[in-house]
């Protein structure tokens, strides 16, 4: 554990954590250096501290540059619009099959391009622009020069304080815009090794689609090419069973493939007697494996785990080629160091982190676990040995898996025990062999048949395990908890005996429990009225914490016709991060998809006290998803309340909640926007007025009915800041000090309207926008008011 190369690599990679969560990461670093003081010279400790600081500065600079790039692209593109120009393909096309008619099968690839000249609706681009585009032909390759027409918009970040910062993804890829292709013409074909690799990928994809069983074809593309577009049911089954790694192009897959090729090369070289008599052909085959590992990692999609494994394998093979004995720990450290040097935010790549954590678990825990677990007769040991290896890998990556998924399968170890041999010893080699058999159609079809059978068997294990349940759910770890895990792991690794090792782990577990209580307390905000506008893009979702700890959720965002689920992407993760398993009151302001879409996946996953609904959607038919949401709530015996029982004042959670509209019920002849719930929430001497999508007609009615009840410090603008809302008379009646605008950078409607912004500016009202900086938090203790992001215009 005191290998200086490995510690240097960890320090440099940890700079990413220090840049994103300075306080807990700095505390963990100080304690770690203190623990290492008896194992390293003073100069080495100082060196590690300097490497960590350097890594943090690099990471912070990369994140800041990503934020600046996104701001420039947002300013240059504005709302979604059409761009026309020339570009070069930067990334391998990734096919995403959808259930589409045969005539629409073409153009299903996702590509990344860099425009070097383009004219957009706002004018010509002032700098090169990288964009991710959908709907591309599958036969493109890196280096191809294309002339294209595309609908482009800035990437929406969904930037919420409680969730991991999404900007490192822009820093790592340089992609700050996305959209769909309208037309594309290839001007010239690329040249070079990457172009050849993409042509090979396209060929292998076509052969998989032509020869594999239709049920196994998506699984084979995932295993061989890294194209993870499984059917939703299969994707959920693999996730719930803990078998997703078997279809990912992981480090294990790369090692098996490249080591197999190296062994084959060595066997061939041994037959060349003049060569094998004079040279150690094992060293030659090891040298051959170095470029092969990188070529295979790139061919398989270039995931972080594959590239890390390629780096580690290259270090091992380089040492072997030089005639020395490789060390697993130093090879691991060398691959980490190389990755951290090349990418200052490598610690933000989930696949890389999981792969590195699993490898660390194998290196550090495989032998100790095996010594305690693998006992008995030879047949029993043969069964227990892979269980020990699986346990070691799972222990290493569990803290990081917890950050990415709210659940872990208790049956995952048994599922891996059954499925891993099928996947790694049958499906993987057969599928890889299939990729090289197009010249022999009968043999190719036989390999496809065997590969299909193995993959369908793995899928069957995933489905059975998923159906059996046994899923443990938990909140995502906070940065402080991850720091505690890191400290405990280091202390246990440095311990000289079992007693000290056990003490370190026990103290680490106790720290996790204490920090969990701290996280729950921080999320409850007792004694405060807190209004948190979530960044869900072009839509509304507002989380209200009441002074006694109760919670209201007003809307859930949503995009009509989009694969982005704002409930799964934002609302549920925020609730889990804030340790909220129950929402006492869910309010659907009005039945439009950009307000209820995210509730479809959110409400079944949490405990709900009651739903407030205007009733207009059910009476006027808001669609099957809305109806299914209400049916699910009724099936769970959750009360659904309508305006006739809600209008007026209520003391809820220590605050006063006044329902001002639609009272006594919705007006059938008016739009859903003008029938929005209008809520005034008061605590002490301060109030927030939340008006849904109320427009000018609703504002006039409110002024007539409640002229004295509209005054509020915070006004959530109606209809996302549209010109049809926030009329001057209404502003004068409310007299807010803060105007909250819930809108997205990708909206096509010009929200918020420049005239509305000018009207707010003329009254010196502070503007806070979710499309400029992410979520906004306004809170009061009844006497003072605090705003998280003032003057975000």
């Amino acid at each position: 554990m005191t290998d200086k190369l490995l510690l240097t690599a960890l320090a440099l990679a940890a700079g990413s954590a220090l840049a994103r969560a300075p306080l807990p990461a700095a505390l963990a670093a100080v304690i770690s250096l203190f623990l290492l003081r008896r194992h390293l010279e003073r100069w080495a400790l100082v060196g590690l501290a300097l490497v960590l600081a350097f890594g943090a500065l690099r990471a912070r600079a990369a994140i800041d540059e990503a934020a600046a790039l996104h701001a420039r692209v947002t300013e240059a593109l504005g709302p979604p619009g059409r761009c026309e120009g020339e570009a070069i393909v930067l990334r391998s096309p990734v096919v995403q099959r959808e259930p589409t008619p045969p005539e629409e099968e073409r153009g299903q690839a996702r590509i990344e391009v860099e425009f070097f000249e383009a004219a957009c609706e706002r004018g010509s681009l002032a700098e090169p622009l990288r964009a991710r585009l959908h709907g591309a032909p599958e036969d493109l390759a890196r280096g191809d020069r294309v002339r294209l027409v595309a609908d482009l918009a800035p990437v929406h970040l969904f930037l919420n304080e409680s969730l991991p910062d999404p900007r490192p993804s822009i820093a790592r890829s340089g992609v700050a815009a996305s959209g769909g292709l309208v037309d594309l013409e290839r001007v010239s074909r690329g040249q070079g090794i990457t172009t050849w690799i993409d042509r090979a990928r396209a060929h292998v994809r076509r052969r998989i689609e032509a020869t594999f069983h239709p049920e196994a074809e998506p699984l084979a593309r995932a295993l061989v090419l890294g194209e993870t577009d499984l059917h939703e049911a299969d994707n959920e089954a693999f996730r719930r069973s803990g078998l997703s790694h078997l279809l990912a192009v992981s480090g294990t897959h790369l090692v098996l493939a490249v080591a197999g090729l190296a062994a084959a090369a060595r066997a061939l070289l041994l037959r060349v007697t003049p060569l094998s008599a004079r040279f150690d052909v094992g060293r030659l085959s090891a040298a051959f494996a170095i470029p092969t590992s990188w070529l295979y990692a790139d061919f398989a999609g270039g995931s972080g785990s594959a590239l890390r494994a390629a780096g580690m394998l290259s270090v091992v093979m380089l040492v072997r080629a030089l005639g020395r004995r490789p060390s697993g720990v130093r090879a691991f450290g060398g691959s980490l160091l190389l990755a951290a040097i090349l990418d200052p935010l490598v610690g933000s790549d989930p696949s890389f982190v999981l792969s590195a954590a699993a490898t660390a678990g194998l290196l550090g825990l495989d032998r100790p676990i095996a010594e305690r677990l693998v006992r008995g007769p030879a047949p029993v040991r043969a069964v227990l040995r892979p269980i020990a290896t699986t346990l070691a890998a799972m222990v290493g990556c569990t803290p990081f898996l917890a950050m990415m998924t709210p659940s872990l399968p208790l049956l995952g170890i048994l599922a891996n025990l059954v499925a891993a041999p099928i996947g790694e010893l049958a499906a993987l080699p057969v599928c890889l062999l299939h990729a090289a058999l197009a010249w022999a159609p009968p043999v190719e079809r036989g390999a496809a048949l065997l590969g299909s059978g193995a993959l369908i068997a793995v899928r069957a294990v995933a489905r059975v395990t998923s159906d059996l349940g046994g899923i443990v759910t938990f909140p995502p770890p906070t940065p402080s908890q991850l720091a505690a895990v890191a400290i405990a792991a280091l202390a246990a690794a440095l311990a000289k005996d079992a007693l000290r090792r056990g003490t370190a782990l026990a103290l680490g577990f106790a720290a996790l429990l204490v920090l969990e209580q701290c996280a729950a307390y921080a999320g409850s905000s007792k004694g405060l009225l807190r209004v948190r506008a979530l960044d869900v893009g072009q839509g509304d979702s507002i989380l209200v914490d009441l002074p006694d700890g109760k919670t209201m959720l007003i809307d859930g965002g949503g995009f009509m016709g989009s694969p982005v689920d704002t409930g799964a992407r934002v609302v549920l993760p925020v609730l889990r991060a804030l340790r909220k398993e129950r929402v006492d009151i869910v309010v659907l302001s009005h039945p439009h998809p950009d307000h209820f879409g995210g509730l479809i996946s959110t409400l079944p996953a949490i405990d709900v006290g009651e739903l407030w609904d205007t009733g207009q959607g059910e009476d006027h038919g808001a669609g099957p998803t809305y109806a299914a949401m209400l049916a699910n709530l009724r099936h769970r015996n959750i009360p659904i309340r309508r305006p006739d029982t809600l209008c007026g004042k209520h003391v809820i959670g220590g605050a006063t909640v006044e329902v001002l509209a639609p009272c006594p019920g919705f007006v059938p002849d008016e739009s859903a926007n003008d029938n929005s719930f209008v809520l005034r929430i008061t605590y002490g001497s301060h109030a927030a007025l939340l008006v849904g999508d109320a427009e000018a007609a609703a504002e006039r009615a409110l002024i007539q009915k409640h002229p004295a009840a509209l005054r509020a410090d915070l006004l959530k603008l109606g209809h996302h800041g549209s010109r049809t809302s926030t009329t001057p008379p209404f502003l004068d009646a409310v007299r807010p000090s803060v105007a909250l605008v819930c809108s997205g950078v990708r909206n096509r409607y010009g929200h918020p309207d420049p005239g509305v912004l000018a009207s707010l500016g003329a009254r010196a009202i502070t503007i806070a926008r979710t499309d400029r900086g992410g979520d906004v938090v306004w809170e009061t203790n009844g006497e003072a008011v605090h705003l998280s992001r003032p003057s975000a215009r």
Side-chain angles (χ1 to χ4, degrees):
M1 190 61 218
T2 55
D3 181 87
K4 293 184 177 65
L5 177 64
L6 177 59
L7 290 173
T8 301
L10 291 173
L12 189 59
S16 174
L18 186 59
R20 289 177 295 149
L23 187 58
L27 183 60
V30 170
I31 296 175
S32 297
L33 292 174
F34 177 78
L35 292 174
L36 288 166
R37 73 193 189 283
R38 294 182 180 177
H39 301 269
L40 295 175
E41 301 86 346
R42 183 172 299 177
W43 65 265
L45 295 174
V46 173
L48 289 176
L50 292 175
V51 169
L52 177 65
F54 175 68
L57 291 174
R58 289 177 71 219
R60 185 70 259 169
I63 293 173
D64 291 344
E65 173 53 30
L69 172 63
H70 189 264
R72 294 197 303 272
V73 170
T74 300
E75 182 63 29
L77 294 180
R82 187 151 293 183
C83 294
E84 181 175 357
E86 292 196 6
I88 188 167
V89 179
L90 297 178
R91 294 288 300 273
S92 302
V94 176
V95 172
Q96 296 177 301
R97 296 284 184 232
E98 299 286 347
T100 55
E103 65 272 15
E104 297 180 12
E105 286 184 357
R106 191 167 170 79
Q108 292 182 312
R110 183 184 72 238
I111 59 173
E112 290 180 10
V113 303
E114 181 172 88
F115 287 88
F116 45 85
E117 64 175 55
C120 300
E121 293 182 5
R122 281 199 173 189
S124 298
L125 296 178
E127 62 177 317
L129 171 69
R130 291 190 176 188
R132 184 175 296 115
L133 301 175
H134 298 264
E138 299 172 22
D139 60 351
L140 291 175
R142 282 170 288 180
D144 285 356
R145 183 168 174 165
V146 294
R147 183 177 295 111
L148 54 81
V149 179
D151 291 325
L152 280 182
V155 171
H156 199 102
L157 295 178
F158 299 104
L159 189 60
N160 291 276
E161 185 181 9
S162 304
L163 304 182
D165 191 341
R167 289 172 295 192
S169 65
I170 294 181
R172 302 184 71 247
S173 68
V175 174
S178 64
L181 277 169
V182 177
D183 188 35
L184 182 143
E185 175 189 358
R186 181 159 36 207
V187 176
S188 63
R189 291 182 176 271
Q191 301 294 328
I193 188 66
T194 57
T195 302
W196 179 85
I197 289 173
D198 286 349
R199 305 281 185 239
R201 281 173 56 86
H203 168 76
V204 171
R205 183 187 301 116
R206 288 193 297 268
R207 298 314 305 158
I208 289 174
E209 292 171 347
T211 58
F212 271 73
H213 188 280
E215 293 293 317
E217 178 260 318
L219 307 177
R221 286 194 293 110
L223 186 67
V224 177
L225 301 174
E227 296 179 346
T228 52
D229 61 333
L230 305 184
H231 299 300
E232 185 57 36
D234 287 343
N235 189 54
E236 183 68 8
F238 275 93
R239 185 190 66 80
R240 287 173 57 85
S241 63
L243 297 177
S244 296
H245 67 94
L246 290 181
L247 294 183
V249 183
S250 66
T252 303
H253 292 182
L254 185 139
V255 169
L256 287 173
V258 176
L261 285 174
R266 182 176 182 275
L268 289 175
L269 292 174
L270 282 172
R271 294 180 178 272
V272 183
T273 306
L275 184 66
S276 60
R278 297 184 59 188
F279 298 100
D280 180 354
V281 294
R283 295 172 63 181
L284 295 177
S285 63
F288 163 77
I290 296 172
T292 304
S293 63
W294 292 102
L295 290 173
Y296 177 74
D298 188 74
F299 171 83
S303 68
S305 60
L307 294 175
R308 186 211 58 78
M312 183 172 177
L313 189 60
S314 295
V315 173
V316 171
M317 292 300 179
L318 177 61
V319 173
R320 175 69 181 90
L322 294 175
R324 299 185 180 183
R325 186 176 179 179
S327 162
V329 172
R330 293 190 66 80
F332 179 50
S335 66
L336 284 182
L337 183 61
L338 177 63
I341 290 173
L342 296 176
D343 182 359
L345 290 168
V346 69
S348 300
D349 180 358
S351 64
F352 182 92
V353 170
L354 286 176
S355 174
T359 303
L362 289 172
L363 290 173
L365 299 174
D366 185 47
R367 181 177 296 177
I369 291 176
E371 288 175 352
R372 289 165 176 76
L373 183 65
V374 183
R375 297 179 180 179
V380 175
R381 292 200 304 272
V383 172
L384 293 177
R385 190 62 186 85
I387 294 179
T389 300
T390 301
L391 272 173
M394 288 187 66
V395 170
C397 62
T398 292
F400 303 97
L401 275 174
M403 295 177 62
M404 303 167 198
T405 176
S407 60
L408 284 177
L410 288 177
L411 299 176
I413 295 175
L414 293 178
N416 272 277
L417 181 63
V418 175
I422 303 173
E424 294 179 351
L425 301 180
L428 178 63
V430 171
C431 289
L432 291 177
L433 182 63
H434 170 274
L437 291 175
W439 56 273
V443 182
E444 181 192 40
R445 287 194 297 271
L449 182 63
L450 290 174
S452 295
L455 288 170
I456 290 174
V458 171
R459 186 184 67 170
V461 175
R463 287 183 171 183
V464 169
T465 307
S466 176
D467 292 341
L468 289 175
I471 306 296
V472 177
T473 60
F474 43 78
T478 65
S480 296
Q481 288 176 313
L482 288 176
V485 169
I487 294 169
L490 177 63
L494 296 175
K496 295 181 178 179
D497 52 55
L499 177 61
R500 295 181 183 181
R501 187 176 301 112
T503 301
L505 295 177
L507 290 175
F509 183 73
L512 286 179
L513 295 179
V514 172
L515 291 170
E516 181 60 28
Q517 292 301 311
C518 293
Y521 179 80
S524 69
S525 69
K526 290 188 177 181
L528 296 172
L529 170 63
R530 178 178 293 164
V531 177
R532 185 191 306 266
L534 303 182
D535 178 9
V536 291
Q538 183 62 18
D540 276 18
S541 185
I542 298 175
L543 192 63
V544 180
D545 292 315
L546 298 169
D548 75 344
K550 287 187 172 63
T551 302
M552 296 178 69
L553 174 63
I554 304 172
D555 297 328
F559 300 102
M560 181 178 291
S562 169
V564 178
D565 180 352
T566 55
R569 178 77 174 266
V570 177
V571 183
L572 271 175
V574 167
L575 290 173
R576 288 172 176 139
L578 296 174
R579 276 47 181 177
K580 294 182 182 296
E581 299 178 355
R582 173 183 171 85
V583 173
D584 299 279
I585 299 172
V586 176
V587 181
L588 175 55
S589 65
H590 63 291
H592 279 171
D594 59 332
H595 292 254
F596 74 74
L599 297 179
I600 303 300
S601 57
T602 298
L603 300 189
I606 60 174
D607 183 16
V608 177
E610 60 188 43
L611 173 76
W612 294 5
D613 179 45
T614 65
Q616 189 174 12
E618 197 160 30
D619 288 6
H620 288 66
T625 54
Y626 167 84
M629 178 182 70
L630 295 190
N632 175 266
L633 292 173
R634 290 191 173 108
H635 178 73
R636 296 164 60 189
N637 296 317
I638 295 172
I640 299 175
R641 301 182 62 185
R642 297 286 162 74
D644 58 346
T645 67
L646 293 170
C647 291
K649 292 184 178 181
H650 311 267
V651 177
I652 303 175
T656 301
V657 179
E658 187 172 3
V659 180
L660 301 177
C663 292
F666 72 88
V667 181
D669 294 335
E670 292 186 356
S671 68
N673 284 350
D674 279 332
N675 276 308
S676 293
F677 270 120
V678 176
L679 308 179
R680 184 173 185 263
I681 307 176
T682 306
Y683 182 52
S685 58
H686 296 283
L689 185 65
L690 312 175
V691 301
D693 274 2
E695 298 183 289
E699 291 178 355
R700 287 194 296 271
L702 287 168
I703 294 172
Q704 292 172 1
K705 292 181 181 180
H706 309 283
L710 297 178
R711 174 75 182 91
D713 303 271
L714 171 70
L715 170 64
K716 202 288 294 184
L717 299 193
H719 203 195
H720 320 289
S722 164
R723 59 185 175 84
T724 61
S725 303
T726 320
T727 57
F730 188 68
L731 275 179
D732 293 336
V734 179
R735 289 179 291 147
S737 56
V738 176
L740 172 61
V741 185
C742 297
S743 62
V745 296
R746 298 178 71 89
N747 84 82
R748 300 177 179 272
Y749 317 106
H751 299 161
D753 179 70
V756 171
L757 296 179
S759 184
L760 296 170
R763 291 167 173 77
I765 298 171
T766 297
I767 304 170
R769 299 168 52 173
T770 57
D771 65 339
R772 296 291 188 271
D775 63 340
V776 176
V777 181
W778 177 92
E779 63 184 23
T780 178
N781 60 4
E783 298 177 358
V785 168
H786 178 260
L787 179 66
S788 64
R789 291 189 178 92
S791 301
R793 295 182 182 273

